[in-house]
Amino acid sequence: MTLPALFIAHGSPTLALESSDYTQFLNELGDKLPAPKAIVVFTAHWDCPEPSVTMDESHQTLHDFYGYASALYNIHYPAAGQTDVASEICALFSRSNLPHRSVQGRGLDHGVWVPLLHMYPEANIPVIAVSVDSLRSPQEQYDIGRMLEQLRHDNVLIIGSGGTVHNLRMLAQDDEPQDWAVEFDDWLGERLEQWNTRELFLYEKKAPHARTAVPSYGMEHLAPLFYAMGTADMSRTAKRLFQSYACGTLSLNCWQFGDGI
């Protein structure tokens, strides 16, 4: 079975405790998708130069944030790992001569478990986390995703978890979307739907408000979009599934790449 790839905005860690239109969308998204045999997540909260893959039979839940309500630290997402799929990822990287490493004992950061908590609350599907490298070009990130495209045709769900607009210094007091954030997302959306990689890969120079939407200290949150997009290179179809904003600028955009839903 072939599954689409997804880009999912994981928002703030407090999303794990929220009930909103967005969390309802994530709940329904998990129900709509055929049950995958495993989930592979390119997570913005694992940013390192060498592509890294979790190679574990089980995971601890990382609470990699501070200053939130105690209830958030009591949440655990006990998803199993899947070493067979992790090994296949490593083999695909090796086939493309991409240096990489397998990692044991890292756990699942909140970029992984927060959205999955809503999509698959029973934590009954194995999960493999894969790092991103925010210093690589969008073209390189896309190409790394493309190396894993065949996994989608073997009932593996691939997710890029991050955020298209993620500038914590620009959060507003309410959820009314700020014009500049919407303009950036709309520019991005038009080119995603056209699969216009030429302009997408140059978003820093071409997109309106690019430096504000994707600041130099937050590039890792956009990177998962290109990794996920690359895994649908053969079909080259993109569809926005959801769009809203928290605190005016924190983008909760979700995209589907490839056919499936």
Side-chain angles (χ1 to χ4, degrees), residues 1-235:
M1 179 179 294
T2 298
L3 293 173
L6 301 172
F7 174 77
I8 294 179
H10 61 247
S12 163
T14 57
L15 186 72
L17 298 172
E18 294 172 10
S19 177
S20 64
D21 289 346
Y22 184 50
T23 60
Q24 181 178 346
F25 158 77
L26 291 175
N27 290 334
E28 293 173 354
L29 181 60
D31 289 337
K32 287 179 181 178
L33 288 164
K37 74 174 186 181
I39 303 169
V40 174
V41 183
F42 286 100
T43 170
H45 288 279
W46 192 7
D47 188 3
C48 56
E50 191 171 36
S52 301
V53 182
T54 55
M55 188 71 68
D56 297 290
E57 294 289 351
S58 61
H59 301 288
Q60 62 177 321
T61 303
L62 297 180
H63 299 92
D64 51 331
F65 42 78
Y66 59 91
Y68 291 93
S70 59
L72 200 54
Y73 300 91
N74 293 327
I75 296 175
H76 294 277
Y77 191 78
Q82 174 55 271
T83 56
D84 288 347
V85 173
S87 296
E88 188 173 357
I89 293 170
C90 292
L92 291 168
F93 285 161
S94 294
R95 189 179 303 171
S96 296
N97 297 314
L98 178 69
H100 61 277
R101 63 187 181 120
S102 59
V103 175
Q104 292 183 311
R106 178 182 185 271
L108 301 179
D109 61 64
H110 77 274
V112 179
W113 65 262
V114 167
L116 292 184
L117 183 68
H118 292 288
M119 292 179 68
Y120 300 104
E122 295 180 3
N124 57 351
I125 300 172
V127 177
I128 301 95
V130 183
S131 68
V132 300
D133 181 0
S134 62
L135 298 183
R136 290 180 188 262
S137 69
Q139 173 78 71
E140 291 176 297
Q141 294 162 354
Y142 181 100
D143 288 343
I144 291 173
R146 186 166 55 178
M147 296 174 192
L148 304 186
E149 183 160 8
Q150 75 177 57
L151 293 179
R152 292 183 39 248
H153 304 291
D154 191 24
N155 200 30
V156 173
L157 178 62
I158 299 179
I159 296 174
S161 173
T164 51
V165 180
H166 193 92
N167 187 338
L168 301 185
R169 298 176 186 175
M170 298 295 289
L171 298 181
Q173 295 299 311
D174 57 51
D175 291 338
E176 182 66 25
Q178 299 288 303
D179 289 345
W180 63 266
V182 176
E183 288 173 15
F184 176 81
D185 271 338
D186 285 349
W187 182 94
L188 204 68
E190 288 176 6
R191 282 139 189 88
L192 286 169
E193 289 171 347
Q194 298 163 0
W195 211 270
N196 185 347
T197 54
R198 182 178 62 83
E199 291 198 358
L200 281 170
F201 293 163
L202 296 174
Y203 79 89
E204 287 184 278
K205 296 180 179 178
K206 292 185 173 292
H209 316 291
R211 298 286 179 148
T212 307
V214 189
S216 58
Y217 58 84
M219 295 172 67
E220 74 285 345
H221 274 77
L222 184 61
L225 177 86
F226 297 116
Y227 285 92
M229 187 182 185
T231 69
D233 180 72
M234 291 184 68
S235 56

Side-chain angles (χ1 to χ4, degrees), residues 245-260:
Y245 296 85
C247 300
T249 67
L250 189 62
S251 179
L252 300 177
N253 268 245
C254 290
W255 284 86
Q256 172 187 322
F257 302 116
D259 300 326

